[in-house]
Amino acid sequence: MTKLSENKPHIIQIVGYKNTGKTTMTAALIGHFSSMGLKVAAIKHDGHDHFEMDQEGTDSYRFGEAGASAVVVMSEKRTAIMERQATRLDDMLSHLSGYDWIVIEGFKEAFYPKFVMVREEKDLSLIDRLEGVVGMISWLSPDQVMEPRVVNRDITWYSVHETEFIAKALLQMFESK
């Protein structure tokens, strides 16, 4: 089992195949942690590299189009950094070291504690393939997924409909280490 760090920030990954509810679960966990007054950062992996945060017609878009390798937009309450370069996950985590929690959506192959989202039985194959799995969040009943022939690891099953319980379990998991 992956060692859970007692140091902050606590890091948890939400991984799974497409349309398994990763974004919904990530947002729910962020909401629960934030409502408790915790400082939370989110990192999302875009495996298709088709996102664009700045929109055509904005000044930040024009700066990027003009050739800026990095564009920073700052206001009284927000800061956004757009860099035209790849950033390693470990480097971004170092940048976010002042947070209580970092919730990562995706980056299946990273070696951080992770929950696997399971919508259908075929999604279970991911559990045995990945390192660091501490639990599954599923639409399926525990009887459908917890038989030894289906999952070869001793992990905890959580219902996708119990996000508050999942958030509390995560807090206990990390705080008790």
Side-chain angles (χ1 to χ4, degrees):
M1 182 186 236
T2 298
K3 181 176 180 343
L4 301 177
S5 172
E6 61 189 33
N7 299 326
K8 290 186 180 173
H10 300 306
I11 299 169
I12 188 68
Q13 291 181 256
I14 306 299
V15 302
Y17 294 120
K18 186 177 180 177
N19 296 321
T20 55
K22 297 181 302 291
T23 300
T24 302
M25 182 55 60
T26 300
L29 291 174
I30 292 167
H32 286 296
F33 293 152
S34 295
S35 71
M36 298 173 64
L38 297 171
K39 190 174 175 185
V40 183
I43 298 175
K44 178 174 174 60
H45 182 249
D46 180 0
H48 305 290
D49 196 34
H50 57 58
F51 73 94
E52 193 69 41
M53 287 182 64
D54 53 348
Q55 301 295 315
E56 189 171 347
T58 63
D59 293 347
S60 60
Y61 181 87
R62 289 181 57 202
F63 299 156
E65 289 298 301
S69 295
V71 176
V72 178
V73 179
M74 297 168 43
S75 72
E76 189 176 310
K77 297 181 181 180
R78 299 188 321 172
T79 300
I81 302 170
M82 291 280 299
E83 293 182 311
R84 294 181 186 256
Q85 67 180 19
T87 302
R88 291 175 352 124
L89 180 58
D90 288 343
D91 292 338
M92 186 51 61
L93 293 171
S94 292
H95 178 74
L96 299 172
S97 64
Y99 288 78
D100 296 311
W101 277 88
I102 300 174
V103 183
I104 302 171
E105 180 185 327
F107 292 95
K108 287 183 193 87
E109 306 302 328
F111 294 102
Y112 297 100
K114 59 184 62 77
F115 283 139
V116 175
M117 300 296 298
V118 175
R119 183 179 288 274
E120 301 173 7
E121 233 176 281
K122 66 180 176 68
D123 300 335
L124 292 167
S125 65
L126 201 51
I127 293 170
D128 291 325
R129 189 172 69 83
L130 298 178
E131 296 293 324
V133 177
V134 295
M136 80 171 77
I137 301 172
S138 181
W139 280 259
L140 304 174
S141 72
D143 297 340
Q144 290 175 282
V145 297
M146 296 308 284
E147 297 175 29
R149 65 176 176 77
V150 179
V151 176
N152 296 321
R153 290 191 189 183
D154 182 25
I155 63 167
T156 305
W157 172 91
Y158 298 93
S159 169
V160 71
H161 304 292
E162 298 176 337
T163 58
E164 187 172 345
F165 178 77
I166 295 167
K168 287 178 181 177
L170 263 174
L171 289 168
Q172 284 183 329
M173 226 184 275
F174 279 85
E175 300 299 333
S176 67
K177 298 295 174 194

